[in-house]
Amino acid sequence: MNASAKPLAIHDLTVAYQDKPVLWDIDLSVPTGVLAAIVGPNGAGKSTLIKATLGLMPVAAGTVEMFGQPYAKARRMVGYVPQRSSVDWDFPTNALDVVLMGTYGQLGWIKRPSKADREWALHCLEQLAMADFAQRQISQLSGGQQQRVFLARALAQRAQLYLMDEPFVGVDAVTERAIISLLQQLRSDGKTVICVHHDLDSAPEYFDWVALLNVRMIAAGPMKTIWTPENISQTYGGRTQSLIRGAA
Amino acid sequence: MSILDLFRDYTLRNVALGAMVLGIVSGILGCFAVLRRQGLLGDALSHAALPGIAIAYLLTGSKAPIVLLLGAGIAGWVGTLVINRIVRDTRISEDSALGIVLSVFFGVGILLLTYIAKRNDANQAGLDRFLFGQAATLVATDVLTMSILGGLALGCLVLLYKEFKLLAFDPAFAASLGFPPNRLGILLTSLIVVAIVIGLQTVGVVLMAAMLVGPAVAARQWTHRLSVMLVLSGVFGASAGIAGTMLSLGQQHVPTGPMIILSLTAIVTISLLFAPARGLVWAKIRQNHSLNNEPRNREIQPAKGE
């Protein structure tokens, strides 16, 4: 690991879906230790950016480096929280088991989780106030609890950089507070967090760094300098200015 | 006919053992097909195996089960790759791809069987038994072959249990960890092809899909744990196999394959209706109960909308 290398550096990234560009010529460099939000309207390519970064979809052009290495070599330093709706929560398993999946990457092929891994997974659930639900079948958890299980799973990855796809969508107030305190804990531990976020009101409150995206990268940098009405209006095509309250 | 006959009678014992091995292997592997919402996959691949049987016979002139089943396995596996390519390289959805492979391969298989039948070749009789299976033809070596193949497939599953579980629950997360979902999926599907090959002599290509889907659907009703579901599914598959054998080889000789499937249907029906927690009957009772207890809410609700 190169200590001076940025957690995430994207150069000239273009992603197309059936000949239609979803992301166009993206440059993004995220510094260590920030809580970064990727903000933009529906169809701006926010989730696509996360997925392309993780090699989950083919890219037409460009490079992605994490800690100065391609993702395939940096995997173990990266944690991922997919959208909650991306899986079938009726799958026959319990919360602890899902969190244990976060240790699979470090375990590698064939090897099974040990007792120590189970204790670690339980500890991760505790961090999100979910220890009481460890043995609960996942379909019997509320939406917010399911989201906390997903975050605990990412925590179990022991990563340096976390990529989260809409962690705040459809969660209750308790979960929202739990996620915020987790994010702050991660930042104070020197980790880097990048979240896809769609709520303009809460973005400047929760995050200290922002990337404004609408197919192209409109602006990216510290929240204080980037979060301006002009930039936001440019990102949203000038349509939603009245919705923006938090802007400087 | 009693349970004891199963141990005394040579034919009966082979058929029952064969059906049991098939039930265990297809029951366990079928869980993953069902959990990945690929219930149709088994149907497509078992139909895709038919031309392989015909081609293997045309090339070798042999009717030895091992030769024909090898042909079936290769054809089923080619079917797997074709489905995979169609989904990956075209805009055709997975269910359509399954439908295409099922009908095209099966059509070719029937065509080849007809061609073989018309060659006036005395040796050819009996290839069509793979359509609906003919369990009575199972001999001890067949059962041994089935057990070895099934054992290898299940051994592979045990080895990669963690990876397959992750694949079935969250393939994108699996990919992010470096477990390639596409290759794991092909491997898992190849194991399902092995289960299908095991079942061709007993239940045949047309009914094989039920052996993959039925036990898994029934087992899911009774448990919330994957490991328990796998074991239960194997037990259900084996029970249906043995029950079907006994029912078919009793007084009247009815075909074994369909009797196995009917036994399985009984297990599935009971599970869907009466399993605690997920059974439809209990759900209905709970629903009525809660409606009777809260009559006021029902009256108030329409007024809210106005």
Side-chain angles (χ1 to χ4, degrees):
Chain A
M1 175 175 165
N2 182 347
S4 65
K6 291 269 170 86
L8 178 64
I10 298 173
H11 296 292
D12 302 333
L13 181 74
T14 294
V15 175
Y17 183 67
Q18 292 174 356
D19 302 332
K20 188 174 168 269
V22 186
L23 290 173
W24 188 257
D25 205 16
I26 301 291
D27 278 291
L28 178 66
S29 181
V30 180
T32 305
V34 298
L35 294 182
I38 300 174
V39 177
N42 288 334
K46 304 185 295 285
S47 294
T48 305
L49 181 59
I50 298 269
K51 286 180 186 155
T53 301
L54 293 168
L56 300 182
M57 54 195 311
V59 302
T63 58
V64 175
E65 283 192 345
M66 296 176 191
F67 303 102
Q69 294 173 313
Y71 178 60
K73 290 194 174 167
R75 271 184 218 289
R76 291 189 183 185
M77 284 183 273
V78 182
Y80 173 43
V81 181
Q83 280 184 21
R84 180 163 54 89
S85 58
S86 67
V87 304
D88 174 13
W89 288 92
D90 196 38
F91 194 85
T93 192
N94 63 33
L96 185 68
D97 231 27
V98 173
V99 177
L100 262 180
M101 290 176 185
T103 67
Y104 286 9
Q106 314 237 349
L107 284 170
W109 290 91
I110 295 171
K111 213 176 147 203
R112 300 286 173 86
S114 64
K115 191 158 174 271
D117 292 320
R118 295 188 160 273
E119 278 161 13
W120 166 243
L122 193 60
H123 174 74
C124 293
L125 272 173
E126 263 167 29
Q127 298 278 299
L128 285 138
M130 284 291 292
D132 291 344
F133 299 92
Q135 303 299 327
R136 186 73 66 89
Q137 150 69 16
I138 54 173
S139 67
Q140 287 159 12
L141 299 170
S142 72
Q145 290 167 337
Q146 291 172 346
Q147 187 65 61
R148 280 186 270 164
V149 168
F150 257 18
L151 283 153
R153 182 176 72 172
L155 208 55
Q157 291 184 265
R158 303 175 205 255
Q160 296 298 317
L161 166 67
Y162 290 89
L163 300 175
M164 305 184 180
D165 202 344
E166 303 259 25
F168 289 101
V169 160
V171 302
D172 51 284
V174 177
T175 300
E176 189 159 340
R177 278 195 298 276
I179 299 175
I180 294 164
S181 86
L182 172 74
L183 294 186
Q184 284 164 354
Q185 178 66 44
L186 288 171
R187 178 173 53 187
S188 65
D189 291 346
K191 323 265 182 177
T192 308
V193 182
I194 301 171
C195 290
V196 169
H197 195 70
H198 75 292
D199 181 28
L200 291 176
D201 286 339
S202 56
E205 190 186 330
Y206 296 167
F207 299 97
D208 56 15
W209 209 91
V210 66
L212 290 168
L213 181 73
N214 191 351
V215 183
R216 293 162 185 273
M217 189 57 77
I218 309 297
M223 187 66 80
K224 278 180 199 148
T225 54
I226 297 299
W227 199 253
T228 64
E230 294 74 32
N231 278 342
I232 296 168
S233 153
Q234 202 191 336
T235 311
Y236 284 80
R239 281 170 291 137
T240 56
Q241 193 129 35
S242 59
L243 294 175
I244 306 157
R245 282 185 269 136
Chain B
M1 154 117 206
S2 72
I3 289 272
L4 276 180
D5 290 340
L6 283 181
F7 299 100
R8 289 200 204 104
D9 185 295
Y10 175 82
T11 310
L12 213 51
R13 194 175 57 211
N14 284 331
V15 175
L17 273 177
M20 189 185 79
V21 169
L22 164 65
I24 293 171
V25 176
S26 62
I28 292 175
L29 288 167
C31 286
F32 285 94
V34 167
L35 289 174
R36 295 179 74 210
R37 305 193 171 271
Q38 290 182 323
L40 256 181
L41 184 70
D43 209 19
L45 295 181
S46 57
H47 282 78
L50 191 62
I53 294 170
I55 291 170
Y57 172 73
L58 283 173
L59 288 179
T60 64
S62 160
K63 280 204 302 182
I66 188 80
V67 173
L68 300 181
L69 293 184
L70 188 67
I74 292 172
W77 199 64
V78 170
T80 307
L81 297 184
V82 172
I83 292 167
N84 204 272
R85 282 308 279 269
I86 291 177
V87 173
R88 206 184 62 187
D89 296 345
T90 72
R91 298 185 190 187
I92 297 170
S93 67
E94 182 160 19
D95 57 340
S96 306
L98 291 171
I100 293 166
V101 168
L102 186 154
S103 32
V104 170
F105 276 60
F106 189 63
V108 171
I110 295 290
L111 200 71
L112 289 172
L113 285 188
T114 313
Y115 167 72
I116 292 169
K118 284 200 172 150
R119 291 200 310 173
N120 282 331
D121 170 354
N123 186 34
Q124 59 82 25
L127 278 189
D128 56 354
R129 71 190 162 93
F130 288 103
L131 278 177
F132 297 105
Q134 203 170 49
T137 61
L138 285 178
V139 295
T141 50
D142 294 334
V143 176
L144 187 67
T145 311
M146 291 166 75
S147 306
I148 292 172
L149 283 174
L152 287 174
L154 292 184
C156 196
L157 185 78
V158 168
L159 216 57
L160 292 173
Y161 174 73
K162 166 178 118 241
E163 286 77 5
F164 286 142
K165 178 172 157 182
L166 185 59
L167 174 77
F169 176 60
D170 194 346
F173 189 69
S176 83
L177 295 181
F179 301 109
N182 200 27
R183 275 181 235 168
L184 274 173
I186 289 178
L187 180 58
L188 193 54
T189 309
S190 306
L191 299 183
I192 289 172
V193 169
V194 172
I196 289 168
V197 164
I198 288 175
L200 290 183
Q201 270 181 292
T202 315
V203 298
V205 299
V206 178
L207 295 174
M208 185 55 213
M211 290 304 291
L212 288 162
V213 175
V217 167
R220 180 67 188 90
Q221 290 292 104
W222 300 91
T223 177
H224 285 315
R225 287 178 57 194
L226 180 59
S227 51
V228 179
M229 178 182 170
L230 293 175
V231 172
L232 215 50
S233 188
V235 170
F236 285 161
S239 309
I242 293 173
T245 307
M246 289 179 65
L247 289 171
S248 74
L249 298 184
Q251 285 80 3
Q252 296 96 6
H253 257 254
V254 282
T256 312
M259 283 318 288
I260 294 175
I261 302 301
L262 284 179
S263 310
L264 185 56
T265 308
I267 296 176
V268 171
T269 307
I270 291 168
S271 303
L272 285 178
L273 289 177
F274 300 111
R278 292 171 81 95
L280 292 174
V281 169
W282 311 134
K284 189 76 191 163
I285 290 172
R286 273 196 299 273
Q287 194 187 10
N288 288 340
H289 189 71
S290 67
L291 286 180
N292 290 338
N293 283 352
E294 298 165 45
R296 275 188 211 155
N297 288 349
R298 289 171 73 201
E299 283 158 23
I300 292 167
Q301 262 164 4
K304 267 186 186 171
E306 286 168 35

